[in-house]
Amino acid sequence: MTIGVLAVQGNFREHAAVLRRLGADVVEVRKPEQLDGLDGLVVPGGESTTFMRLMRLYGLDEAVRVFAGPVFGTCAGMIVLDRAHLGLMDVEVDRNAYGRQVASFEADLRLAGDGEPLRGVFIRAPRVRTVGDEVEVLAEHDGEPVLLREGRFLVASFHPELTEDTRVHELFLDQVREAKSVRA
Ligand code: GLN
């Protein structure tokens, strides 16, 4: 499996390390043509305004919009995919909506269908305000969705690449594997 990690800014090295640990081949994507032939794509956390600006500069916004495979966005990556930005996922997101004092925190999350708690690291995290009918909530924090799936899109408002727990990345790779077998 070859997974691209958008490497214009932010936590791309951490994502690449987790994916490699799980046996995937990783390509750091900085140009549109590097999306060709990828089985999946990760849009990491960072700073969404910087992200959008750099993506536009390199033509990566259009390239990601037409990329047909599974996409996994974390934190700023979730903002990039939402209704107000690339419009790929039917969610409405509020940037930095946890406020300044508690902007960064950790919390134990419960994954749908899994008894083992998952440690969520939230860093100036976006807050999901509205989700479309097709969106599936896979984990919540204080009753609000923090891990969501819609078709080939998976998004997290926290940072699974910053803990040793690889379950969220595994979930994404399962999605990639499934999409690959459907195409084959
Ligand atoms: N606050 C950042 C933004 O609005 C996201 C934070 C992150 O990705 N850790 O883009």
Side-chain angles (χ1 to χ4, degrees):
M1 256 186 312
T2 309
I3 309 293
V5 180
L6 217 58
V8 293
Q9 193 250 342
N11 284 354
F12 56 90
R13 287 182 197 86
E14 291 82 352
H15 275 288
V18 180
L19 293 164
R20 287 197 182 103
R21 235 170 85 198
L22 293 172
D25 291 326
V26 177
V27 175
E28 289 186 1
V29 175
R30 295 187 176 85
K31 296 180 194 156
E33 56 270 28
Q34 290 175 310
L35 290 170
D36 294 343
L38 293 180
D39 297 310
L41 178 70
V42 175
V43 186
E47 176 56 43
S48 56
T49 45
T50 309
F51 241 101
M52 287 305 297
R53 197 162 45 80
L54 292 175
M55 284 176 75
R56 224 166 276 139
L57 189 66
Y58 302 125
L60 280 163
D61 52 347
E62 229 5 77
V64 170
R65 210 179 261 128
V66 299
F67 178 73
V71 181
F72 176 27
T74 56
C75 205
M78 167 162 106
I79 299 171
V80 165
L81 299 176
D82 78 1
R83 278 184 197 160
H85 295 87
L86 292 184
L88 290 168
M89 226 183 135
D90 196 11
V91 293
E92 217 174 273
V93 170
D94 229 358
R95 288 184 60 200
N96 302 326
Y98 284 101
R100 226 175 17 183
Q101 287 88 338
V102 290
S104 301
F105 60 96
E106 293 189 18
D108 276 335
L109 310 172
R110 216 170 45 83
L111 267 183
D114 192 331
E116 195 65 32
L118 178 86
R119 195 72 179 157
V121 177
F122 294 81
I123 303 171
R124 292 179 301 115
R127 216 161 174 157
V128 177
R129 297 297 190 192
T130 318
V131 304
D133 291 339
E134 304 299 315
V135 179
E136 198 186 340
V137 175
L138 303 179
E140 292 181 341
H141 171 61
D142 277 350
E144 293 181 15
V146 293
L147 179 66
L148 311 97
R149 179 164 55 198
E150 182 185 10
R152 62 191 174 90
F153 297 99
L154 179 70
V155 289
S157 53
F158 55 99
H159 288 270
E161 77 285 7
L162 296 183
T163 57
E164 292 300 301
D165 195 326
T166 56
R167 277 177 290 167
V168 181
H169 286 84
E170 285 172 53
L171 201 68
F172 178 60
L173 291 184
D174 286 346
Q175 240 170 280
V176 172
R177 220 168 275 123
E178 233 167 86
K180 214 174 143 86
S181 72
V182 168
R183 271 203 316 273

